[in-house]
Amino acid sequence: MTAADEPAVLITGCSSGIGRALALEFSGKMHRVLATARDPDDLRQIAGERLRTARLDVTERQSIEAALREIVQWTGRVDILVNNAGYGLIGPLAEVGLDEVRAQLETNLVGLLAVTQAVVPGMVSRRSGRIVNIGSVSGLTTTPFGGAYSASKAAVHMASDALRMELAPFGIEVITVQPGAVGSRFGDNAMAGTESYREGSFYSRVFDAIEARVRLSQSRPTPADRFARELVRVVTGPRPPAVIRMGRGSRILPLLARLPARLRDRLLSKRFGLERLQ
């Protein structure tokens, strides 16, 4: 295989966790990868012959256009787009800042669509391409204090379903990944935004439960490199499934989603200490 034959992959959100592991795995499997992040300094250590790095903030149109120009100048195309950029906003919806909710949706949903819209014209012209959208099992069933993040990921799932149907006539496949717990900096980043609930909140008495929700995704997680190895194998196969669930706990929340709503409410309310507020 010559360099020109190697598939070209654009990945967002590669500073840590899933994105970083996917960049390394794809490049190790004879793909040319442009790994991106808001701060390109986070990516210096992973650059190599088949792995280049660039700044890409999914909330900035010019940043998206610059990253796309860079990979097209290098490879001539984008064969696979992995929309991984995102973060978790944790807190009670009755109190969480609305600007924070807007920022959550702007990154996790609107940013995903912005990058997708940027690469679609080239894929349509070639009548081929794969778009891999990283959702979450949290988008299937929410928990107390996870409503904003779960809503953003549920929106990603719905958008992916629509894109899958709309782009299929052009030979473009859309794959939705719904990970369970995968090793990342998710917990550290999410915890930084919860301090305002420690005092002066309706939920101060159960702040330990808010902390528990932050830690939930990093409780004995699947190592990111193992997750990436399996995901790359599946998404580069001849007929990848439309929806992929992987990672520790990726089956539990889908099962909870099938329970009667009142029963599910009681179980999760007890798990996150809400009965202590009565």
Side-chain angles (χ1 to χ4, degrees), residues 20-164:
R20 190 182 191 92
L22 285 174
L24 292 168
E25 185 65 23
F26 271 114
S27 63
K29 298 297 183 184
M30 305 297 286
H31 291 67
R32 288 177 292 171
V33 177
L34 184 66
T36 69
R38 287 186 301 175
D39 184 355
D41 288 343
D42 291 339
L43 307 175
R44 287 180 178 176
Q45 293 181 339
I46 65 173
E49 180 183 357
R50 290 190 176 86
L51 201 166
R52 296 188 182 183
T53 65
R55 180 182 182 275
L56 196 164
D57 184 334
V58 300
T59 67
E60 297 177 1
R61 179 177 59 84
Q62 292 180 338
S63 174
I64 296 169
E65 292 173 350
L68 183 59
R69 282 196 302 271
E70 183 161 342
I71 190 171
V72 170
Q73 288 171 1
W74 176 31
T75 69
R77 63 192 186 278
V78 176
D79 296 298
I80 301 173
L81 167 65
V82 181
N83 281 309
N84 174 69
Y87 69 98
L89 173 61
I90 301 298
L93 281 179
E95 296 181 342
V96 69
L98 295 182
D99 285 343
E100 295 178 274
V101 175
R102 292 185 184 99
Q104 174 87 115
L105 293 170
E106 189 70 25
T107 297
N108 291 10
L109 174 64
V110 180
L112 176 150
L113 293 175
V115 181
T116 297
Q117 290 181 1
V119 305
V120 158
M123 290 183 173
V124 169
S125 68
R126 295 188 306 277
R127 296 278 165 166
S128 69
R130 285 183 180 173
I131 298 171
V132 181
N133 292 332
I134 306 297
S136 172
V137 290
S138 293
L140 302 173
T141 299
T142 193
T143 66
F145 314 123
Y149 176 67
S150 293
S152 74
K153 289 302 186 179
V156 167
H157 298 170
M158 293 298 102
S160 298
D161 287 347
L163 285 167
R164 187 174 62 249

Side-chain angles (χ1 to χ4, degrees), residues 1 10 18 27 60 113 115 190 204 207 218 262 269 277:
M1 179 186 294
L10 172 61
I18 290 174
S27 63
E60 297 177 1
L113 293 175
V115 181
S204 297
F207 184 74
Q218 295 304 299
R262 295 295 185 185
S269 294
L277 297 175

Side-chain angles (χ1 to χ4, degrees), residues 163-237:
L163 285 167
R164 187 174 62 249
M165 293 181 283
E166 293 168 356
L167 295 178
F170 304 105
I172 303 170
E173 300 170 275
V174 177
I175 302 162
T176 309
V177 183
Q178 298 171 351
V182 179
S184 72
R185 296 204 303 251
F186 179 97
D188 295 338
N189 296 334
M191 186 67 77
T194 62
E195 284 301 311
S196 62
Y197 308 114
R198 188 181 293 275
E199 296 180 3
S201 164
F202 294 133
Y203 300 90
S204 297
R205 288 163 51 199
V206 293
F207 184 74
D208 61 317
I210 297 176
E211 291 181 309
R213 176 60 186 87
V214 171
R215 292 192 299 267
L216 185 63
S217 69
Q218 295 304 299
S219 175
R220 292 181 292 147
T222 298
D225 57 349
R226 187 197 310 168
F227 177 90
R229 187 161 53 249
E230 179 63 14
L231 183 58
V232 169
R233 183 190 68 80
V234 175
V235 302
T236 58

